[in-house]
Amino acid sequence: MYSLTSSMTVSDRPSVVSSSKEMNGDAANFSVVGKKPKVVFVLGGPGSGKGTQCAKIVENYGFVHLSAGDLLRAEINSGSENGTMIQNMIKEGKIVPAEVTVGLLQKAMSESKVQKFLIDGFPRNEENRVIFERVTKIDPEFILFFHCTEQEMEKRLLSRNQGRVDDNIDTIRKRFKVFVDSSLPVIEYYEIRGKVRKVDAARPIDEVFDSIKPLFMPFVQDDLLTLSENLLHAIDNGDYTTYKRLCDTEVTSFVPEAQGHLVQGLDFQRFYFDLVLETKKLAVACPSVQSIISSPTVSVLSDDVGLVTYTRLQQKLGSPSEGMVVAYNETRLWKRVKSTEGEWEWKNVHLHQSKTPSS
Ligand SMILES: Nc1ncnc2c1ncn2[C@@H]1O[C@H](COP(=O)(O)OP(=O)(O)O)[C@@H](O)[C@H]1O
Ligand SMILES: Nc1ccn([C@@H]2O[C@H](COP(=O)(O)OP(=O)(O)O)[C@@H](O)[C@H]2O)c(=O)n1
């Protein structure tokens, strides 16, 4: 590991500031918090594989899975006053009144730190759609529609073996009819608005998943940009805990102050975080610093690697002259790794930084 030290012109170093953007230190770095909720509705006939694919999307893209059916079944098991009514509706394959389902969805969404939701099995009819829209004012990003033949869906449901009261041939047939009569019109509503992404769900599980991956690339790009912003805020705020969480322990960097040397590991940057702490203890005034990202591009190179390039405009109030801005061109390479808890996390593995010619 390098322990090169140099002048304080480093820009991957912390400075004391009060930043307006609060960061949540508890959330895993995969989970981007504090943003406007993003919703993808997942629709398709019973047994088309919605739940199966949702589990894969959650694992790979950090979404929160809200299955309307699961929430209703949990409501029955909780002994709520609506329990018997819901149980009877499900047994008959009928659609539960929207006030109940939307209420459960809204509660689950408000309790979640992560604001990217896959809402599975919803909206199942026009009433579901209208009430959700009215209550939440959320417009879905798109509708993921799993298309599959009834013959294939029936075969899958009869061998699902989850002990569900509605996975018997009579109720299955009723659910198919409800899907055609009530759910297809909702899909048509969104189709007219260009929101439906139709997937051939009759193929093997992994093939289906491969075909939906490209739909989630914009979310990955958005996450990588937000993580880069979070990293800069951590630096500006002298927040080493967040900085460390977002970086790989073996992160490499080419930064101007290392004078052409490749720096490896966190020790080099740690030095500056410690220095700021010292400065704070000595009650010496630190210049206020704030970085913003300008002209970003995000390239997702594979499932596990992404590249973010941007110009970082660093405002330094009070040092050396009021309102001075320094600009750096930065490239950050992000790699997705599994944590010891088995969760996917993006880590910054390389930084390339140079001062812009005008700085
Ligand atoms: N592409 C697939 N090929 C074969 N079986 C599948 C596929 N997708 C899901 N299954 C199986 O079919 C059953 C129904 O899938 P599930 O995801 O529960 O459907 P849904 O949520 O749409 O009702 C499950 O037992 C699941 O393991
Ligand atoms: N939006 C919803 C979703 C499910 N449900 C009820 O829950 C049942 C099971 O839905 P689900 O989404 O868990 O399962 P599948 O029918 O897709 O296999 C439905 O048949 C409805 O009775 C509902 O009333 N409203």
Side-chain angles (χ1 to χ4, degrees), residues 46-47 90-91 156-172 175:
I90 288 183
K91 256 193 214 153
R156 290 181 189 176
L157 291 176
L158 290 175
S159 50
R160 178 150 65 176
N161 283 329
Q162 286 177 357
R164 278 176 48 169
V165 290
D166 54 350
D167 278 352
N168 58 76
I169 194 66
D170 282 351
T171 314
I172 288 171
R175 284 153 72 200

Side-chain angles (χ1 to χ4, degrees), residues 59-74:
E59 193 196 344
N60 284 275
Y61 303 115
F63 272 71
V64 174
H65 178 208
L66 298 180
S67 155
D70 285 351
L71 289 171
L72 291 167
R73 284 183 285 273

Side-chain angles (χ1 to χ4, degrees), residues 291-338:
S291 296
I292 61 154
I293 284 180
S294 156
S295 314
T297 63
V298 184
S299 315
V300 181
L301 304 177
S302 73
D303 284 351
D304 302 323
V305 180
L307 195 65
V308 183
T309 64
Y310 53 87
T311 298
R312 170 179 175 184
L313 298 175
Q314 196 181 45
Q315 293 171 288
K316 293 191 182 193
L317 297 178
S319 168
S321 63
E322 196 94 348
M324 182 182 163
V325 176
V326 186
Y328 300 90
N329 287 326
E330 293 193 350
T331 301
R332 288 190 189 268
L333 188 67
W334 292 88
K335 188 168 173 10
R336 202 176 64 133
V337 293
K338 268 220 163 133

Side-chain angles (χ1 to χ4, degrees), residues 46 91-94 168-180:
K91 256 193 214 153
E92 286 303 310
K94 291 183 181 157
N168 58 76
I169 194 66
D170 282 351
T171 314
I172 288 171
R173 297 264 158 89
K174 287 180 188 162
R175 284 153 72 200
F176 286 161
K177 182 160 171 21
V178 169
F179 177 72
V180 172

Side-chain angles (χ1 to χ4, degrees), residues 45-52 120 152 156-157 159-160 201 203-205 208:
S48 57
K50 301 182 294 296
T52 305
D120 163 8
E152 173 67 17
R156 290 181 189 176
L157 291 176
S159 50
R160 178 150 65 176
R203 293 168 294 168
I205 292 171
V208 176

Side-chain angles (χ1 to χ4, degrees), residues 61-126:
Y61 303 115
F63 272 71
V64 174
H65 178 208
L66 298 180
S67 155
D70 285 351
L71 289 171
L72 291 167
R73 284 183 285 273
E75 190 66 0
I76 298 170
N77 294 332
S78 75
S80 103
E81 55 181 18
N82 283 324
T84 313
M85 178 273 289
I86 299 172
Q87 169 91 328
N88 290 335
M89 305 279 296
I90 288 183
K91 256 193 214 153
E92 286 303 310
K94 291 183 181 157
I95 299 174
V96 173
E99 289 78 12
V100 174
T101 317
V102 172
L104 294 172
L105 286 170
Q106 211 191 5
K107 180 166 181 285
M109 290 170 81
S110 68
E111 285 168 357
S112 172
K113 273 185 187 164
V114 179
Q115 291 291 298
K116 290 188 302 182
F117 300 102
L118 282 176
I119 305 196
D120 163 8
F122 186 95
R124 215 126 170 157
N125 60 9
E126 277 296 298

